[in-house]
């Protein structure tokens, strides 16, 4: 016996079939059936085929296709137009779960709970809204009620609960879930899921903007997702589902999810083509083989932008990135632990030259507050400025003197010769900074190493200065606003963990103890004021992400966390009029 919901779904199928079949199929050669005759012929077939005990959502195109097959008429054509993306983010395995870049690209097919909008605010994606308990240990997410998996099943609170429990069990980077999540409850009536943690957790909405939701009825049968290397298709709930990962063709293909109830995308498929390097990706763009470029947390190479513009086939989207490049003093060593010395460092740097050399003009001189303007609650602190005269005076007034007249100041009776640690990718910045510092009397020697060695040396605090960079996620992690890089209580590959000032740590803890937006705005301002006053790190430049795109299309969207790889891009890009 059918349940009430199943009966209603079946009834909806039959009504929709009756309304759609004549328009979809009555144009076949010699077809003269009336609406009543069509309905009489098709409805029993539809009922027998689709109204069994396990009724699922049926998309209109599926009903039309089934009806046309039954009647022997031409099936409605599929939209085969593809949006093609070039990327140097190489997919290394046909592993939906464990490959890093597959995880990013499948934000399109398996929607996270939250997303970031163009203004840096977190908004619902799978979730319609959320509530947080007063002690920040319990988060309840209310799901949108119009989401369906690509196999026609409804997205349920059980799917969401399963996804995060499964992640905590199998994903090393999500081990915090297993350690802190103590309870999960679902409410089918409210279409909601509640997570209870063993400590206050105020950034769950941000964490949940990065993890994809999985269909429980599929993945509960996969005991070890890290070893699951099927090429596809994979059931998804976004406007597209992942049809295939093809390592030989270096391509991921996403196909339109006909059960998607939201705004309909213009393309039948989305193709992500990866290339070994940016030069190869540029050639594909110039040849017209792809329509746009995407590299997580990075811009298209600035040196190649004008060449693409000169073809007349590409426009560019230019947005300030929340990732940046910075100079980090080792705060556990003298004289870097002296604020006066750090002030001299800041004045010694030629920011305009760095912007010109590194970004070819697609950047700006940063502020003392470190945080770039693309971030939520940006505070407009004073700009950094190149002033070598002031730098020399600060050094002199602070007692860093050149007593032997060799052009290099001394610290504790010895000429300064700072170890300027530079990893691969920051060589040019290191050379320029070495020159800037020596110009004001600070000796420095570039120490270039590979990334693995850099990780080891910075964790051992075996350096004086280092040049490194942030990613958008890095600027948001921990207490946000770049804090995750400096808090001495943290660990991680890119984390310097060299700041143990109680004032700073207390400010981080204040941010981590609240989810109230008014308080967060105030704390964000205080954090940027702390950077301004203390210079624990010196931003070298803020940069723009420059994304070339085929000018035949319009509607491109950019948000700070994942750039153009956002659902709004895929729902809004269309052929340009005119």
């Amino acid at each position: 016996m059918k349940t009430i919901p199943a009966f209603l779904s079946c009834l909806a199928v039959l009504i929709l079939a009756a309304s759609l079949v004549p328009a979809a199929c009555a144009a076949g050669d010699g077809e003269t059936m009336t609406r009543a005759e069509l309905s009489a012929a098709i409805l029993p077939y539809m009922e027998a085929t689709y109204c069994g005990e396990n009724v699922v959502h049926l998309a209109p195109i599926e009903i039309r296709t089934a009806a046309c097959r039954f009647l022997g008429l031409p099936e409605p054509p599929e939209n085969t137009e593809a949006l093609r993306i070039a990327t140097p983010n190489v997919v290394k395995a046909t592993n939906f779960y464990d490959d890093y870049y597959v995880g990013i690209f499948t934000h399109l097919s398996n929607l996270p709970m939250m997303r970031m909008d163009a203004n840096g605010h977190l908004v619902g994606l799978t979730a319609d809204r959320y509530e947080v308990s007063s002690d920040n240990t319990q988060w309840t997410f209310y799901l949108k009620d119009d989401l369906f998996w690509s196999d026609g099943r409804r997205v349920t609170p059980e799917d969401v609960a399963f996804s995060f429990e499964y992640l905590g069990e199998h994903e090393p980077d999500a081990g915090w879930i297993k350690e802190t999540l103590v309870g999960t409850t679902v409410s089918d009536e409210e279409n909601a899921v509640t997570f209870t943690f063993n400590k206050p957790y105020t950034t769950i909405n941000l964490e949940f903007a990065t993890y994809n939701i999985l269909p429980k009825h599929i993945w509960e049968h996969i005991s070890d997702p890290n070893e699951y290397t099927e090429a596809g298709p994979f059931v998804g709930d976004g406007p597209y589902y992942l049809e295939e990962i093809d390592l030989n063709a270096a391509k991921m293909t996403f196909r339109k999810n006909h059960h998607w109830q939201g705004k309909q995308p213009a393309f039948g498929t989305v193709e992500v083509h990866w290339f070994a390097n940016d030069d190869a990706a540029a050639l594909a763009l110039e040849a017209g083989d792809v329509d746009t470029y995407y590299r997580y947390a990075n811009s298209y190479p600035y040196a190649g932008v004008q060449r693409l513009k000169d073809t007349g086939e590409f426009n560019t989207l230019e947005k300030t990135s929340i990732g940046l490049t910075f100079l980090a003093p080792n705060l556990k060593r003298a004289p870097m632990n002296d604020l006066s010395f750090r002030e001299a460092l800041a004045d010694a740097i030629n920011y305009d030259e760095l912007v010109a050399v590194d970004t070819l003009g697609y950047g700006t001189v940063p502020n003392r507050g470190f945080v770039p303007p693309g971030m939520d609650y940006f505070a407009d602190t004073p700009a950094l400025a190149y002033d070598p005269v002031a730098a020399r005076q600060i050094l002199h007034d602070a007692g860093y003197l050149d007593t032997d007249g060799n052009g290099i100041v001394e610290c504790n009776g010895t000429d300064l010769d700072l170890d300027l640690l530079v990893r691969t990718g920051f060589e040019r910045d290191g050379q320029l900074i070495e020159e800037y510092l020596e110009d004001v009397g600070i000796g420095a020697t570039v120490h270039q190493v590979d990334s693995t060695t850099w990780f080891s040396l910075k964790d051992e605090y075996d350096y004086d200065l280092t040049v490194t960079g942030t990613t958008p996620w890095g600027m948001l992690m921990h207490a946000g606003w770049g804090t995750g890089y400096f808090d001495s209580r943290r660990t991680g590959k890119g984390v310097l963990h060299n700041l143990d000032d109680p004032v700073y740590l207390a400010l981080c803890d204040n941010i981590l103890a609240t989810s109230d937006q008014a308080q967060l705005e105030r704390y964000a301002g205080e954090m940027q004021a702390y950077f301004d006053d203390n210079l624990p790190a010196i931003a070298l430049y803020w940069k723009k992400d420059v994304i070339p795109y085929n000018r035949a299309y319009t509607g491109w969207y950019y948000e700070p966390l994942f750039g153009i790889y956002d659902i709004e891009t895929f729902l809004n890009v269309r052929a340009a009029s005119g």
Side-chain angles (χ1 to χ4, degrees), residues 328-568:
N330 181 354
L331 301 173
K332 294 184 177 294
R333 280 187 180 179
M336 284 65 64
N337 58 359
D338 179 359
L339 176 57
S340 294
F341 186 79
R342 298 199 298 274
E343 290 283 3
L345 288 176
D347 283 344
I349 296 169
N350 189 336
Y351 302 99
D352 287 314
E353 184 171 65
L354 285 169
V355 167
V357 170
D358 278 7
T359 76
L360 302 182
Y362 290 104
T364 57
V365 174
N367 288 0
R368 292 172 60 94
F370 193 74
V371 173
M375 290 200 72
D376 209 4
Y377 303 137
F378 166 74
D380 194 10
T381 55
L384 289 158
Y386 176 48
D387 192 342
V389 173
R392 296 186 193 100
Q393 188 63 50
I394 291 171
L395 289 170
H396 181 275
D397 293 346
Y400 301 100
L401 306 176
D402 176 16
T403 60
D404 57 9
N406 68 349
I408 300 298
V409 301
E410 297 144 21
C411 179
N412 297 323
T414 305
D415 282 352
L416 275 179
D417 184 14
L418 302 182
D419 177 26
L420 178 53
L421 183 64
V422 175
R423 60 172 158 162
T424 304
F426 297 97
E427 300 92 338
R428 181 167 49 184
D429 297 312
Q431 293 164 2
L432 289 171
I433 289 171
E434 180 185 62
E435 295 174 9
Y436 301 152
L437 298 185
E438 290 181 350
D439 182 55
V440 301
I442 300 173
T445 301
V446 171
H447 179 191
Q448 184 177 330
V449 297
D450 59 29
S451 292
T452 301
T453 304
W454 185 86
F455 296 142
S456 175
L457 291 175
K458 63 91 181 173
D459 281 341
E460 296 167 1
Y461 305 107
D462 191 7
Y463 66 96
D464 293 315
L465 302 168
T466 189
V467 180
T468 186
T470 76
T471 64
W473 171 250
M475 291 297 291
L476 296 163
M477 67 185 179
H478 188 43
W481 297 286
T483 56
Y485 287 98
F486 309 110
D487 190 323
S488 60
R489 301 166 296 185
R490 286 179 49 78
T491 59
K493 281 190 173 182
V495 172
L496 297 167
H497 45 75
N498 62 353
L499 183 52
D500 55 12
D501 178 1
V503 174
Y504 174 81
L505 299 181
L507 185 51
C508 288
D509 290 342
N510 286 342
I511 295 173
L512 290 169
T514 184
S515 56
D516 179 83
Q517 293 303 305
Q519 286 186 325
L520 285 173
E521 183 173 8
R522 177 164 60 86
Y523 291 144
E526 292 177 9
M527 182 59 72
Q528 290 167 83
Y530 181 91
F531 278 109
D532 176 12
D533 293 338
N534 296 278
L535 292 175
I538 302 166
L540 298 179
Y541 51 83
W542 292 333
K543 60 184 179 179
K544 287 184 177 180
D545 280 345
V546 181
I547 302 99
Y549 62 87
N550 187 332
R551 64 186 306 175
Y553 301 117
T554 188
W556 304 91
Y557 185 91
Y558 177 97
E559 49 92 347
L561 184 53
F562 290 108
I564 65 164
Y565 206 87
D566 182 272
I567 189 172
E568 291 296 315

Side-chain angles (χ1 to χ4, degrees), residues 253-394:
T253 301
F254 295 86
R255 191 165 296 280
K256 191 172 182 179
N257 174 11
H258 295 302
H259 300 279
W260 173 254
Q261 299 293 290
K263 183 175 182 178
Q264 293 300 304
F267 299 90
T269 59
V270 173
E271 298 173 358
V272 177
H273 298 257
W274 59 88
F275 298 87
N277 52 55
D278 281 315
D279 289 338
L283 289 174
L285 282 163
E286 292 172 16
D289 295 332
V290 289
D291 301 307
T292 190
Y293 170 95
Y294 177 75
R295 182 180 181 188
Y296 171 63
N298 279 281
S299 169
Y300 187 75
Y302 299 123
V305 172
Q306 191 58 49
R307 178 174 170 177
L308 278 181
K309 287 183 177 180
D310 290 343
T311 67
E313 300 298 325
F314 290 90
N315 290 332
T316 58
L317 188 69
E318 301 176 11
K319 298 288 185 179
T320 299
S321 172
I322 65 172
L324 53 89
T325 298
F326 66 97
L327 178 67
N330 181 354
L331 301 173
K332 294 184 177 294
R333 280 187 180 179
M336 284 65 64
N337 58 359
D338 179 359
L339 176 57
S340 294
F341 186 79
R342 298 199 298 274
E343 290 283 3
L345 288 176
D347 283 344
I349 296 169
N350 189 336
Y351 302 99
D352 287 314
E353 184 171 65
L354 285 169
V355 167
V357 170
D358 278 7
T359 76
L360 302 182
Y362 290 104
T364 57
V365 174
N367 288 0
R368 292 172 60 94
F370 193 74
V371 173
M375 290 200 72
D376 209 4
Y377 303 137
F378 166 74
D380 194 10
T381 55
L384 289 158
Y386 176 48
D387 192 342
V389 173
R392 296 186 193 100
Q393 188 63 50
I394 291 171

